[in-house]
Amino acid sequence: MGATLNSAASGTANYVDERTSIGGFVKFFARKLFPDHWSFMLGEIALYSFIVLLISGVFLTAFFVPSMETVHYEGPFATMHDVEMTKAFESTLVTSFEVPGGLLMRQTHHWSALLFLASIMVHMCRVFFTGAFRKPRELNWLVGFTLMILGLAAGFTGYSLPDDVLSGNGLRIIDGVIKGVPLLGSHISFWLFGGEFPGTALIPRIFTAHILLVPGLILALIALHLFLVFLHKHTQYPGGGRTHRNVVGLPLFPVYTAKAGGFFFVVFGIIALVASVFTINPVWNYGPYDPSPVSAGTQPDWYILFIDGLLRMWPGWLFGLPTEWELWGYTLSLNILIPSVIVPALFFGFIALYPWIESWATGDKGEKHVLDRPRNVPVRTGIGVGMIVFYVILVLEGSNDIVASLFHLSLNDLTIFFQWGIFILPVLAFWITKRLCLGLQRKDRELVLHGHETGTIVRHEHGEYVEVHSPLDDEERWVRVSFDNHKPLEIAPERNDRGVARKGYRWDRFKQRLSRFYYEERIEPVTPEELEAAHHAHSDAPSAHGLADAADAKGANERLDDEWEELDEGATKK
Amino acid sequence: MSAADKNSSPYSDLTSANGHDNPGLPHHRPRRADVDKKAGKRAERQTALLFAISIIGTVIAIWAYFGLDIGDGGDVAAIQQINMWIGIGVFLAMIGIGLGAIHWAKTLMRDHEMVEERHELRSSDEARAGAIQNLKDGAEDSGLAGVERRGLLKGTLITALAIAPLSVLVPQIGNMGGDWNVSKFRHTIWGPGVRLARDPDGALIKASDVTIGSVFHVIPDGLHELDHAAMMNEKAKSVVLLVRLDPKDLTIQQGREDWSFDGIVAYSKICTHVGCPVALYEQQTHHLLCPCHQSTFDVANGAKVVFGPAKRPLPQLPIAVDDDGYIVAQADFDEPIGPSYWDRLKGGDDTAVEEETR
Ligand code: HEM
Ligand code: FES
């Protein structure tokens, strides 16, 4: 049986290969190496929840009716009996209450949407803090960034489909934001809704966007994203044997086929469990869209909250001055435009362009394949934490009614606190994080120079007590001394020898300023000379100490030889 | 490095760094199953068990779909039962495969790391030169560059390509906006003599029904006679809140002396921020709170903004009481309700729009 199977397989392989030369691809891909680290799974979670979205989404399309025609509900859910509603809302009730497995799939779809966006954002943070966006991966950072924006679009259009009170209100807010666009606002609103809000055109239109346009784009960009990952080969964390010129890891087949493939099923399984146990978006409790009712404390999906937070935070009157202006009879709604368009554009724009901004400051044109430990780039890490704090404040302000009632605070005081906090707290977070990173780097130096504390106290001949320190092993030391010691850029002077002004000086000057901001304050890595000196200081100490050192050094040397052999083997393998 | 200076890095490639040498890969520690046959067998059995759990999960899901009683097709509780069991089945079916595969990989597959060289991404200088040459040759063949530059071709082609999308986009965008009559934003179905009715049941409101401190959610009488789509559009603009205050608490706005009736005032319920219904009324303070972004309007004082992101007061509906004692509108709102837009104060049709008063 085994033999026939084998010959069948080789027969098929031969058939396909003669027509596609797929053998070359298989040879190339099958044993491609991937480094191992838990943080590399974050992107995978995003990918897998997207696949679950596709599967559950296709299920839902079989029952969802994207229509704003009206019907009177006659289904089994008694509370809604005879209520006038759109077919979109009715079909959502049908999916929930009359299709076995339908509610499960709705909830699977919604939970995986939440997970999809959460994992994209955490994945982005990982890439940011470890510097995985540096050359040659800047373009892939942009692809990932675009995927995040498309994810937001997919989520919002999906959330709007069931046409319940909450989603209708969300759309009305979007309508209000669109109307605030100067010059064209009212016409864009008419274009989107096919007339006045809510009209009868919107649900079919966003349905097309939701199931075709946006997922199509996401799929294409995921393909590009993964292609670039393969092309660049994965980054790796610093460690013995790892350089900017190699990848150390385990082969795609079978190890990652099993681990990553298996992980897909784990993600799917967990989403299914959550979806079968925890209700989400029970639209039957909200009722069909009606422009009149709304209740306090209702929330959009979490990924929309930051916009809501911005809208809540920006006051209509600032120190007695209006933030909506009438100019020559035209209305300019800065109270809508700034929070919902300008601030998000600046925030996201900064994120999108960050790799280039940092590269101006660094001036390093080499390829970077070994990741940074966040502490070793204190300013970047500080900026990242500052941005997270900025975002979290917006999310909290977006649910300030819930926060206020949870902690028994006054709603208005909370908003005023955040209005000041949004300026102060991110800067504070930046500063604290930077100090923490520098502190951690100092500790690293200490550790490299003086070794681990062992807790053993010995007594010198002359009666002094000291704690025995055991030196770091090679791996531990290497991780702490091998980081890039960036220094502020040196630039050519403004005028050449003949006193002629140089073109591009101002741009260089800007880069230099930026560079100083990043690298002026830094902790230098321990040099071999310092290490040597520290060792001498130690060997003056009691003999117990020196012995341990010697034994360890010997062991380490033996191991070193072993490993270089292995490295060589690996390298010749290719 | 084959690359030009531009691509070089002042930093090390980490075969050594800051004067230290890379110590090489750490020692590989064998796992239990690598050295102990029995441990290997055990790992194999555990993996098989996990796969078996998956098989059971699939069976549960299918059993739940066919085997559980759906009731009379309309039993919500029964359907929820089925959903839960299918879900648990899917969970087991998936997690069994997943954990099994991962356990297999962790215990039995290779865990000894291997090393692969990277190659610089930049193409070689020859390849680049070749690419440039090919493009030059191609451009010359086309006549767009080189000896006989056909400038006319280039100009017309670029223009044609640039405007061709308009042939599709203009009709599409043009059709998508319905009748494009944006001046509809200015009107609601309120008008002289239209009675105020309760939302949602449509019952008419007498002035005597409205006690001090009470608040009514109001729609124009006759709204429900419209077909559903028109009704939704009109309702989205015309919902009103009716409140009665003690007349001595009420600051009458200049020019609106006769817009209220004995302490009864009516304001648009659509927030002037981005258009949510402003639904929460606080009796003590006479404040109306918009739940969306917490704009707060003072009903006792012209519904002016006292807190939050809105800038303009809620538009006031002028009311009176007709001969039968019902509350009626005197006219439509005198300004567009809801969120601001660029030309909201511009005419463009016959509605007279007064300058805003504040
Ligand atoms: C790309 C990522 C996607 C995201 C983030 C997403 C998100 C959402 C969300 C949040 C909902 C509301 C669910 C609810 O509570 O009712 C929804 C509904 C829906 N989605 Fe998606 N979705 C995605 C992709 C897809 C795809 C690929 C399809 C189909 C091919 C699809 C089909 C549907 C349908 C038919 C509904 C309405 C079903 C209902 O509410 O009963 N979605 N989506
Ligand atoms: S819509 Fe009312 S405060 Fe924003």
Side-chain angles (χ1 to χ4, degrees):
Chain A
M1 149 109 186
T4 44
L5 207 70
N6 271 343
S7 77
S10 75
T12 314
N14 180 44
Y15 182 91
V16 177
D17 185 48
E18 281 180 356
R19 284 156 184 80
T20 58
S21 66
I22 198 173
F25 291 102
V26 173
K27 174 168 177 283
F28 176 72
F29 280 115
R31 298 293 273 182
K32 246 181 129 47
L33 299 185
F34 280 85
D36 206 0
H37 194 268
W38 64 265
S39 71
F40 299 159
M41 296 196 316
L42 296 166
E44 279 179 59
I45 300 180
L47 176 64
Y48 300 151
S49 38
F50 178 67
I51 297 175
V52 177
L53 279 165
L54 289 180
I55 296 170
S56 53
V58 168
F59 185 105
L60 293 177
T61 52
F63 307 100
F64 182 71
V65 182
S67 160
M68 294 175 91
E69 261 177 68
T70 10
V71 287
H72 287 262
Y73 183 70
E74 281 163 7
F77 187 63
T79 346
M80 285 287 146
H81 194 71
D82 210 33
V83 172
E84 207 172 31
M85 57 180 66
T86 57
K87 282 187 177 169
F89 187 79
E90 188 209 20
S91 65
T92 306
L93 293 185
V94 170
T95 313
S96 306
F97 294 132
E98 292 167 65
V99 177
L103 181 60
L104 177 70
M105 282 299 151
R106 265 195 66 226
Q107 304 201 142
T108 302
H109 197 68
H110 207 131
W111 278 116
S112 40
L114 301 190
L115 183 64
F116 178 57
L117 281 147
S119 52
I120 287 186
M121 290 185 194
V122 182
H123 171 62
M124 262 182 112
C125 289
R126 194 284 289 172
V127 170
F128 182 90
F129 286 113
T130 59
F133 54 78
R134 291 170 300 167
K135 189 180 175 185
R137 296 181 178 77
E138 302 97 323
L139 297 179
N140 216 9
W141 168 266
L142 267 192
V143 174
F145 169 81
T146 314
L147 278 166
M148 178 199 58
I149 301 290
L150 285 171
L152 292 176
F156 189 79
T157 49
Y159 184 78
S160 303
L161 286 179
D163 203 19
D164 56 283
V165 166
L166 289 191
S167 71
N169 248 313
L171 285 168
R172 181 144 214 193
I173 293 176
I174 293 294
D175 180 51
V177 167
I178 289 174
K179 282 182 177 151
V181 173
L183 286 170
L184 292 177
S186 38
H187 287 87
I188 302 178
S189 165
F190 252 61
W191 168 76
L192 182 66
F193 290 90
E196 277 190 287
F197 175 90
T200 54
L202 191 70
I203 298 280
R205 286 179 185 181
I206 53 176
F207 181 70
T208 309
H210 183 71
I211 68 153
L212 181 72
L213 226 51
V214 181
L217 284 172
I218 290 181
L219 212 54
L221 285 184
I222 287 180
L224 181 59
H225 201 64
L226 295 182
F227 167 76
L228 286 173
V229 169
F230 269 92
L231 185 73
H232 295 145
K233 298 185 175 143
H234 208 289
T235 51
Q236 51 197 350
Y237 280 91
R242 286 140 174 91
T243 75
H244 287 307
R245 307 243 218 130
N246 69 7
V247 207
V248 179
L250 295 166
L252 182 60
F253 185 75
V255 180
Y256 280 99
T257 328
K259 274 194 183 169
F263 191 50
F264 162 70
F265 291 96
V266 171
V267 171
F268 195 164
I270 290 174
I271 294 173
L273 181 67
V274 172
S276 55
V277 181
F278 297 103
T279 305
I280 187 163
N281 205 15
V283 291
W284 54 90
N285 288 342
Y286 310 149
Y289 180 59
D290 176 336
S292 181
V294 71
S295 47
T298 47
Q299 297 274 298
D301 275 355
W302 73 267
Y303 47 84
I304 302 292
L305 284 174
F306 77 101
I307 290 275
D308 244 10
L310 275 162
L311 281 169
R312 285 178 183 194
M313 195 180 284
W314 187 273
W317 292 84
L318 197 57
F319 307 118
L321 298 172
T323 61
E324 178 182 292
W325 298 343
E326 265 112 48
L327 305 168
W328 302 284
Y330 291 103
T331 309
L332 183 64
S333 302
L334 292 176
N335 57 337
I336 297 168
L337 211 57
I338 291 177
S340 62
V341 180
I342 295 175
V343 175
L346 290 176
F347 184 68
F348 286 127
F350 181 74
I351 294 177
L353 297 181
Y354 186 81
W356 288 273
I357 296 172
E358 192 183 299
S359 80
W360 295 332
T362 311
D364 185 0
K365 300 281 194 312
E367 289 186 9
K368 298 288 170 191
H369 301 291
V370 174
L371 296 170
D372 288 321
R373 299 168 80 217
R375 71 184 58 176
N376 289 334
V377 197
V379 170
R380 175 206 295 153
T381 306
I383 291 175
V385 174
M387 302 227 301
I388 290 176
V389 167
F390 180 83
Y391 185 85
V392 168
I393 291 177
L394 295 183
V395 170
L396 289 178
E397 171 69 3
S399 37
N400 61 356
D401 37 354
I402 293 181
V403 177
S405 74
L406 210 62
F407 297 103
H408 306 287
L409 300 169
S410 137
L411 198 60
N412 295 6
D413 289 349
L414 195 64
T415 294
I416 292 166
F417 171 75
F418 285 139
Q419 282 168 338
W420 289 99
I422 197 76
F423 292 102
I424 299 165
L425 297 178
V427 178
L428 198 64
F430 165 80
W431 187 81
I432 292 174
T433 309
K434 185 178 162 194
R435 303 319 316 163
L436 276 176
C437 287
L438 292 168
L440 285 171
Q441 279 187 290
R442 269 188 212 104
K443 255 180 103 177
D444 275 351
R445 273 184 67 89
E446 283 300 299
L447 209 58
V448 170
L449 289 174
H450 306 301
H452 295 291
E453 293 171 2
T454 56
T456 316
I457 310 282
V458 293
R459 186 163 179 261
H460 279 228
E461 287 100 71
H462 46 270
E464 188 192 351
Y465 288 90
V466 287
E467 185 175 4
V468 176
H469 286 233
S470 72
L472 303 190
D473 69 25
D474 293 328
E475 171 80 12
E476 290 173 317
R477 182 181 313 116
W478 170 251
V479 167
R480 287 170 178 77
V481 298
S482 61
F483 61 89
D484 283 340
N485 181 20
H486 292 291
K487 299 193 174 78
L489 292 179
E490 301 290 340
I491 60 171
E494 181 175 6
R495 292 172 189 284
N496 63 14
D497 320 338
R498 279 166 293 142
V500 182
R502 183 165 68 84
K503 234 176 74 187
Y505 173 76
R506 288 164 69 95
W507 174 236
D508 282 357
R509 178 95 194 110
F510 164 74
K511 289 201 286 192
Q512 186 181 41
R513 290 226 175 95
L514 192 66
S515 188
R516 287 204 181 130
F517 168 65
Y518 268 85
Y519 303 124
E520 190 96 87
E521 197 173 357
R522 64 179 182 280
I523 305 290
E524 305 270 346
V526 175
T527 61
E529 294 74 37
E530 287 174 306
L531 200 58
E532 190 68 13
H535 267 270
H536 275 295
H538 280 270
S539 31
D540 295 342
S543 51
H545 198 151
L547 272 180
D549 269 8
D552 218 275
K554 186 156 164 287
N557 268 339
E558 269 168 23
R559 253 191 293 154
L560 222 140
D561 290 344
D562 269 12
E563 282 144 19
W564 275 112
E565 264 167 41
E566 257 177 61
L567 242 178
D568 279 350
E569 268 171 49
T572 44
K573 189 207 104 242
K574 274 195 267 195
Chain B
M1 240 179 246
S2 67
D5 252 10
K6 230 177 144 2
N7 287 339
S8 68
S9 166
Y11 304 102
S12 81
D13 62 9
L14 294 184
T15 41
S16 67
N18 305 320
H20 305 268
D21 281 335
N22 191 321
L25 287 184
H27 213 57
H28 175 241
R29 284 193 192 79
R31 294 161 298 185
R32 269 265 188 74
D34 292 338
V35 289
D36 176 2
K37 261 223 151 81
K38 263 208 220 126
K41 271 278 169 228
R42 201 174 328 120
E44 189 183 338
R45 275 198 305 275
Q46 288 161 344
T47 305
L49 180 70
L50 286 165
F51 290 153
I53 288 178
S54 164
I55 296 169
I56 295 170
T58 306
V59 172
I60 291 179
I62 293 172
W63 159 78
Y65 178 76
F66 286 112
L68 286 181
D69 187 11
I70 191 172
D72 54 4
D75 185 348
V76 173
I79 280 275
Q80 276 168 343
Q81 279 279 319
I82 297 178
N83 272 309
M84 195 189 70
W85 280 109
I86 296 180
I88 287 171
V90 175
F91 162 65
L92 293 175
M94 298 301 159
I95 204 102
I97 299 181
L99 293 181
I102 292 171
H103 190 59
W104 183 0
K106 286 206 152 170
T107 52
L108 296 171
M109 289 180 193
R110 176 189 186 92
D111 82 329
H112 195 164
E113 289 181 315
M114 309 197 304
V115 181
E116 194 180 287
E117 287 292 289
R118 290 178 190 272
H119 308 284
E120 211 192 356
L121 283 155
R122 184 186 192 279
S123 2
S124 67
D125 289 341
E126 306 86 80
R128 283 189 174 192
I132 290 168
Q133 192 55 47
N134 283 353
L135 290 178
K136 270 193 189 148
D137 293 350
E140 204 144 322
D141 283 351
S142 71
L144 287 179
V147 258
E148 24 168 6
R149 296 185 49 172
R150 303 187 193 277
L152 184 62
L153 272 185
K154 199 155 141 190
T156 45
L157 175 65
I158 289 174
T159 314
L161 282 175
I163 67 167
L166 294 181
S167 64
V168 177
L169 287 180
V170 168
Q172 166 156 32
I173 292 172
N175 282 319
M176 280 176 76
D179 60 8
W180 292 106
N181 181 9
V182 295
S183 69
K184 283 180 186 166
F185 292 153
R186 268 176 241 287
H187 307 288
T188 72
I189 59 172
W190 290 111
V194 176
R195 286 176 171 165
L196 277 67
R198 280 167 184 263
D199 180 30
D201 64 14
L204 298 178
I205 305 170
K206 282 195 160 156
S208 52
D209 301 340
V210 188
T211 52
I212 289 183
S214 64
V215 51
F216 284 65
H217 296 257
V218 170
I219 49 177
D221 184 31
L223 181 70
H224 284 298
E225 278 138 44
L226 299 172
D227 73 71
H228 187 78
M231 187 277 278
M232 290 293 264
N233 289 358
E234 289 307 330
K235 189 170 185 184
K237 290 188 293 186
S238 60
V239 279
V240 158
L241 269 172
L242 186 76
V243 181
R244 184 171 209 157
L245 308 175
D246 191 332
K248 68 178 192 306
D249 290 338
L250 192 66
T251 313
I252 301 282
Q253 303 299 300
Q254 207 193 354
R256 300 180 174 183
E257 288 80 5
D258 59 348
W259 284 21
S260 58
F261 178 84
D262 205 12
I264 306 179
V265 284
Y267 285 100
S268 163
K269 195 175 161 184
I270 304 304
C271 189
T272 55
H273 181 222
V274 287
C276 282
V278 181
L280 309 177
Y281 180 63
E282 208 184 51
Q283 254 186 38
Q284 267 96 44
T285 55
H286 313 301
H287 285 175
L288 263 174
L289 178 74
C290 178
C292 285
H293 316 104
Q294 293 130 16
S295 287
T296 312
F297 303 89
D298 186 0
V299 174
N301 185 18
K304 286 180 185 167
V305 178
V306 292
F307 188 80
K311 181 247 174 181
R312 285 180 296 108
L314 295 169
Q316 185 172 2
L317 185 73
I319 53 164
V321 172
D322 69 8
D323 299 342
D324 301 326
Y326 293 113
I327 303 178
V328 295
Q330 297 181 30
D332 196 357
F333 293 102
D334 71 342
E335 57 176 322
I337 57 89
S340 303
Y341 53 95
W342 182 249
D343 39 5
R344 70 178 288 278
L345 294 180
K346 286 287 163 181
D349 67 10
D350 53 356
T351 329
V353 179
E354 286 162 42
E355 282 302 309
E356 183 197 336
T357 45
R358 192 192 139 93

